[in-house]
Amino acid sequence: MNKTLDIEIVYSECFEDILQERFKDDWTAHLICSEGSGELVYNGKIITVTHDDVLIVSHTELITDVRAGEGMKVKMVVAPMSFLTNQLPANNYSIGGCIRLYDHPILPLLEGDYEKLEATFLQIHNRLSDRTSHPFYMELIGSLLRVMMYDLFAIQDRKDDGLESSERTAYVVKSLMRLLEAGECRKHREVSYYAEKLNVSSKYLSDTVKRLTGNSVSFLIDRYTTPILIEFLKDDRLSLNQICDEMNFSSISYFSRYCSKHLGMTPSAYRNKETDK
C-alpha cells in the first residue's frame, strides 16, 4: 500500500466545514461560491464571500468564526499544503501567490471562470471514491489538484502584480523572494545568510516575514528548495552524493533527513517511485 494514501483530500458543499478542527494544521481551503453570501473571521479580519467569488485560505488555523447566509451555495476542496506543494513543478508562482492571498484571500471570478473551476472541483469529488481501488490514486488526484491550482493562479495573475507596498517591510519580503527565486536556496538555507544579504538582523527578517506572510523564513526557503531538489532527483545522471554536494548539504545523512521531511520519503525511495512511474 502506498503510504501517501494516508493523505486525505476533502470535498464539501457546506461553508461551515472550513472551521473543522482537523483543518487547523497544514491545510489549504479552496472555495467557490455560486449563490448567496457568507462571512468568516480570518486573521482577525471579517471576510465576506459572495457569489462569483473564490476564497483561498492557506492558513486555515487563523479562521475563528464562519457564518453562511441564507441560500449560500459553495463547493470546497481542502487539502494538506505540503501535498499541494509537491504537485507543482519547479515553478514558484504559488509561493508569491500565497503571500498575496494571506492579506487578500478573495478573488473575483469573470465570465466562464466559475464553470471551469466547478468542473474541476466535481472531478476531484467524483474521483475521491477511487481512493482504495485505483492503483495510481494519488497521482490521479494530484493531477486534478494541479489543474485547479493553475486555473486559480491564472485568475490571481489578472488581479495583481504582487506586493506593491513601498514600505521597507514589504521591500524586505520582496527582496528575500528575489534571492530565493534566483536559486540561492540551492546552496544556502540558513536564515542568517539571507538576513546578512539584506542587511537586517535575523530577528527583524523573521518577524517581518511572519507578519506579512503568516509563514516563517525557513518555511519559504524550504518551499523554494523543494522543487530544485525534485528536479535533481529526477535526473538519474546524478548520484545522491553528487546532489548532496551540489546542494551543499553537510552530510548524506542530513540530506536524507531533509528529503524525508519535505518529500515524505528518502531520496532513494523517491527515485524508486519515479522509476516505477
Side-chain angles (χ1 to χ4, degrees), residues 3 7 18 23 31 39 52 67 81 105 116 120 134 142 164 183 186 260 264:
K3 289 178 67 175
I7 295 171
I18 199 172
F23 298 147
L31 179 147
E39 291 183 340
D52 292 334
R67 297 177 185 177
M81 169 66 85
K116 190 179 300 181
T120 305
H134 199 295
E164 296 298 334
R186 183 168 63 89
S260 295

Side-chain angles (χ1 to χ4, degrees), residues 42-43 45 47 56 58-59 61-62 96-105 156 209-215:
Y42 170 65
N43 199 21
K45 296 187 293 187
I47 305 293
I56 307 173
S58 58
H59 289 272
E61 74 278 5
L62 297 179
C98 285
I99 289 174
R100 296 190 289 277
L101 287 167
Y102 180 66
D103 275 333
H104 305 285
Q156 186 176 13
V209 169
K210 183 69 175 178
R211 179 159 55 85
L212 266 67
T213 74
N215 295 308

Side-chain angles (χ1 to χ4, degrees), residues 11-270:
Y11 173 87
S12 175
E13 296 184 359
C14 176
F15 185 44
E16 287 88 351
D17 279 351
I18 199 172
L19 198 55
Q20 288 186 29
E21 188 64 30
R22 60 176 167 163
F23 298 147
K24 294 300 182 183
D25 182 40
D26 187 47
W27 290 81
T28 295
H30 310 81
L31 179 147
I32 51 176
C33 178
S34 59
E35 293 184 29
S37 64
E39 291 183 340
L40 72 160
V41 178
Y42 170 65
N43 199 21
K45 296 187 293 187
I46 297 176
I47 305 293
T48 300
V49 185
T50 189
H51 61 89
D52 292 334
D53 275 347
V54 174
L55 172 72
I56 307 173
V57 180
S58 58
H59 289 272
T60 49
E61 74 278 5
L62 297 179
I63 300 173
T64 55
D65 190 25
V66 177
R67 297 177 185 177
E70 185 176 352
M72 186 183 192
K73 291 185 179 180
V74 303
K75 291 179 174 60
M76 179 169 63
V77 173
V78 192
M81 169 66 85
S82 54
F83 181 72
L84 292 172
T85 301
N86 288 338
Q87 302 316 304
L88 297 172
N91 178 329
N92 291 309
Y93 182 85
S94 63
I95 303 170
C98 285
I99 289 174
R100 296 190 289 277
L101 287 167
Y102 180 66
D103 275 333
H104 305 285
I106 296 288
L107 298 176
L109 298 176
L110 298 182
E111 184 177 355
D113 288 340
Y114 181 87
E115 290 77 14
K116 190 179 300 181
L117 288 170
E118 180 186 42
T120 305
F121 276 46
L122 289 175
Q123 276 189 299
I124 293 169
H125 176 223
N126 292 336
R127 300 314 293 262
L128 291 178
S129 61
D130 291 335
R131 181 183 179 88
T132 58
S133 59
H134 199 295
F136 302 104
Y137 169 76
M138 294 313 298
E139 288 81 3
L140 174 70
I141 289 297
S143 66
L144 292 173
L145 290 170
R146 193 155 52 242
V147 170
M148 176 191 75
M149 287 187 285
Y150 276 127
D151 281 340
L152 291 172
F153 293 165
I155 292 168
Q156 186 176 13
D157 192 52
R158 291 196 311 246
K159 182 176 182 290
D160 57 45
D161 299 320
L163 295 167
E164 296 298 334
S165 172
S166 60
E167 295 181 2
R168 175 164 172 74
T169 52
Y171 171 79
V172 167
V173 175
K174 287 192 287 185
S175 298
L176 170 65
M177 290 183 64
R178 289 192 189 101
L179 289 172
L180 295 173
E181 288 167 356
E184 290 284 319
C185 56
R186 183 168 63 89
K187 290 186 177 293
H188 304 285
R189 288 170 292 278
E190 307 80 19
V191 175
S192 58
Y193 171 83
Y194 294 95
E196 183 177 349
K197 294 281 285 187
L198 297 173
N199 295 311
V200 297
S201 69
S202 295
K203 184 179 187 307
Y204 179 87
L205 180 61
S206 297
D207 291 347
T208 300
V209 169
K210 183 69 175 178
R211 179 159 55 85
L212 266 67
T213 74
N215 295 308
S216 68
V217 179
S218 295
F219 176 87
L220 293 180
I221 293 171
D222 291 335
R223 286 284 304 276
Y224 276 90
T225 302
T226 301
I228 297 173
L229 178 59
I230 288 172
E231 289 304 305
F232 275 134
L233 288 172
K234 286 182 177 179
D235 187 349
D236 56 14
R237 296 170 299 178
L238 298 173
S239 69
L240 296 183
N241 280 319
Q242 286 176 310
I243 298 173
C244 181
D245 291 340
E246 182 64 28
M247 296 191 71
N248 202 27
F249 285 101
S250 58
S251 67
I252 193 71
S253 60
Y254 177 57
F255 171 53
S256 182
R257 291 196 302 274
Y258 190 92
C259 287
S260 295
K261 179 179 179 181
H262 297 288
L263 301 181
M265 62 189 76
T266 66
S268 297
Y270 187 88

